[in-house]
Amino acid sequence: MNWIALKMLVGDRAKFFGIVIGLTFAAALITQQGSIFCGLMLRTCAQVTDITGADLWVMDPSVRFIDDIKPMLENNLPRVRGVKGVKWAVPLYKGNGRAKLTFLPDAMKVKTFPADRLERDRQRAKQSAAPSNAFTKVLDLVAPSGEEAATPPARWYSPKLINVIEQVILIGVDDASMVGAPPGGPMIGAEPKGRMWVGSLEDLRRPESIVVDRVGLRKLYPGCHLDEPFADPPESDDAYVARLRRFVESTPEIEMNDRRAVIVGVCEATRTFQSSPVVYTLYSRAKQFIPMERKMLTFILAQTADDENGAKIPPAVVAERIQRQTGLGSLTSEAFMYRTIKYYLIYTGIPINFGITVFLGFLVGTAIAGQTFYNFTIENIRQFGSLKAMGASNRRIVGMILLQAAVVGAIGYGIGVGLSTLFGFKTLDRWGNPTELAYFTPWQLLPTTAAAIIFICVLASLVSVQRVIRLEPAIVFRS
């Protein structure tokens, strides 16, 4: 009987593919939008996940999330170090700075690119038209004509734009230990992998030095050395790093709070929710790159010590001691990450917007699959009636319909999740780093999608089963 059910299912290929496409669309949309939502939430706590080596984040007790900056007095640092169970504690500055710089993109390109590449760029610039897309073309139909409504210049490639004022995320790490800085190894090569593209962390000890993340460097120096957000560099890894190194050596200085800052390195940092460049420097220097205030200490990073038996004291125990003895807030890295995510989930409209999209995907998938499956069952109603006339029970008939629903559900789920996963891989660069599109698929999302597809299949089957159960076998013998 199961074989008959499968033969009936694939007998009409148009309807069979229609049901599978509906379920594939639902599975792909739920997985894709869920992955983008998870990726976006992870970017809200990018600094928490990027900083490794510390067990605890100590902060003002009223801090709600990582970007809720409430500076403390620096005398809180020795107070935290004096708490029993704290192995070490170091300061960390995190805030927003303003970078000002003036440069000529063409002059920077001459120092960075080979001559043939420069010539290709010049030819391409001559042939390129004003930037546009389908939406701007539709807008041109209703927009007034004239210079005021013309397409604005493409900032990234305009040789005339030489003044840049960009807000940056300024991270000041401990001067001695550099806890809070990205791992010092190179991104590529045979050495132990780190997060540095050019330079090393020791370069931060040079006067007025800063390290900028690779994506942020493109924003600070538009049109100079990096490619489009979704495009990989055309050359090999070694040639790309060599080009980055030449660029860093030729970068003009940056002005931050009327002070000189020199780029000495390029690192890879997790993209943030604000998409601002991330600038690393020493804690003492970070205080000079922003307007002076009485309170400058943003966070204290701490690690827990071992007890008498040599076992590591649980961070939650030490966090409770710090809160009790100093009155400051203290959270483990994991707890601080989830607190930040919860803030965005509760106080922003992001979950509602993504929830509506996922619900629409679920609704459309249910409508397409349910309607097609119902029509499929109705068109095979005489076959089901023949089986009942030959002695097949209602339970057996229902089992056949559920088997058909399970088969199309499994196929639709597999194709949908596979397409969504392939889309996720395509959003990564060739080193496996996320690009402009935030995309992260946790394993919990896969069973969630499976449960949604099962619900759709069961719902579609119930509508069809009712008609079959009420079916009279005598219908087969009517003309």
Side-chain angles (χ1 to χ4, degrees), residues 271-315:
R271 303 199 183 193
T272 62
F273 190 71
Q274 298 86 357
S275 298
S276 299
V278 181
V279 175
Y280 290 92
T281 188
L282 299 181
Y283 177 78
S284 59
R285 194 175 301 136
K287 294 189 294 184
Q288 301 173 1
F289 287 156
I290 57 171
M292 192 64 187
E293 297 178 357
R294 189 171 67 89
K295 298 179 178 180
M296 300 294 289
L297 181 60
T298 311
F299 294 104
I300 299 174
L301 301 177
Q303 190 180 68
T304 59
D306 297 338
D307 59 13
E308 297 80 4
N309 300 322
K312 189 178 181 65
I313 302 175

Side-chain angles (χ1 to χ4, degrees), residues 201-440:
L201 293 181
E202 290 302 318
D203 292 332
L204 281 178
R205 302 193 187 282
R206 292 160 53 185
E208 301 160 338
S209 57
I210 60 174
V211 170
V212 183
D213 76 299
R214 183 173 62 99
V215 178
L217 198 64
R218 186 182 65 217
K219 293 185 177 180
L220 290 176
Y221 297 94
C224 288
H225 79 294
L226 286 179
D227 304 276
E228 292 292 340
F230 286 96
D232 278 334
E235 62 268 68
S236 65
D237 290 353
D238 292 336
Y240 177 64
V241 173
R243 176 155 64 94
L244 273 180
R245 186 174 293 108
R246 289 197 302 271
F247 179 81
V248 169
E249 292 171 353
S250 62
T251 49
E253 61 188 42
I254 297 175
E255 178 191 331
M256 297 180 69
N257 193 29
D258 294 332
R259 293 184 178 275
R260 177 173 174 263
V262 180
I263 298 177
V264 297
V266 180
C267 68
E268 187 72 28
T270 303
R271 303 199 183 193
T272 62
F273 190 71
Q274 298 86 357
S275 298
S276 299
V278 181
V279 175
Y280 290 92
T281 188
L282 299 181
Y283 177 78
S284 59
R285 194 175 301 136
K287 294 189 294 184
Q288 301 173 1
F289 287 156
I290 57 171
M292 192 64 187
E293 297 178 357
R294 189 171 67 89
K295 298 179 178 180
M296 300 294 289
L297 181 60
T298 311
F299 294 104
I300 299 174
L301 301 177
Q303 190 180 68
T304 59
D306 297 338
D307 59 13
E308 297 80 4
N309 300 322
K312 189 178 181 65
I313 302 175
V317 174
V318 181
E320 194 276 334
R321 292 176 185 172
I322 293 175
Q323 293 177 23
R324 189 175 63 252
Q325 295 184 27
T326 65
L328 300 173
S330 181
L331 294 172
T332 63
S333 298
E334 187 179 23
F336 195 29
M337 180 186 73
Y338 283 114
R339 169 181 281 201
T340 299
I341 293 175
K342 284 181 179 177
Y343 175 84
Y344 282 91
L345 289 176
I346 295 174
Y347 296 105
T348 68
I350 297 174
I352 297 176
N353 290 289
F354 276 90
I356 291 174
T357 305
V358 173
F359 177 73
L360 286 177
F362 176 80
L363 201 62
V364 171
T366 304
I368 295 175
Q371 180 66 29
T372 312
F373 199 75
Y374 178 76
N375 291 338
F376 166 78
T377 305
I378 295 303
E379 291 184 0
N380 290 279
I381 198 72
R382 298 181 68 85
Q383 285 76 4
F384 287 120
S386 301
L387 293 174
K388 293 183 73 171
M390 288 186 289
S393 62
N394 282 333
R395 183 177 179 181
R396 190 63 180 169
I397 298 298
V398 170
M400 293 174 63
I401 295 176
L402 291 179
L403 174 64
Q404 293 170 341
V407 170
V408 293
I411 296 175
Y413 172 78
I415 297 175
V417 171
L419 290 176
S420 178
T421 305
L422 182 63
F423 178 80
F425 277 115
K426 288 294 183 183
T427 62
L428 302 177
D429 61 21
R430 69 189 192 204
W431 301 288
N433 301 312
T435 54
E436 298 293 330
L437 181 65
Y439 203 90
F440 173 69

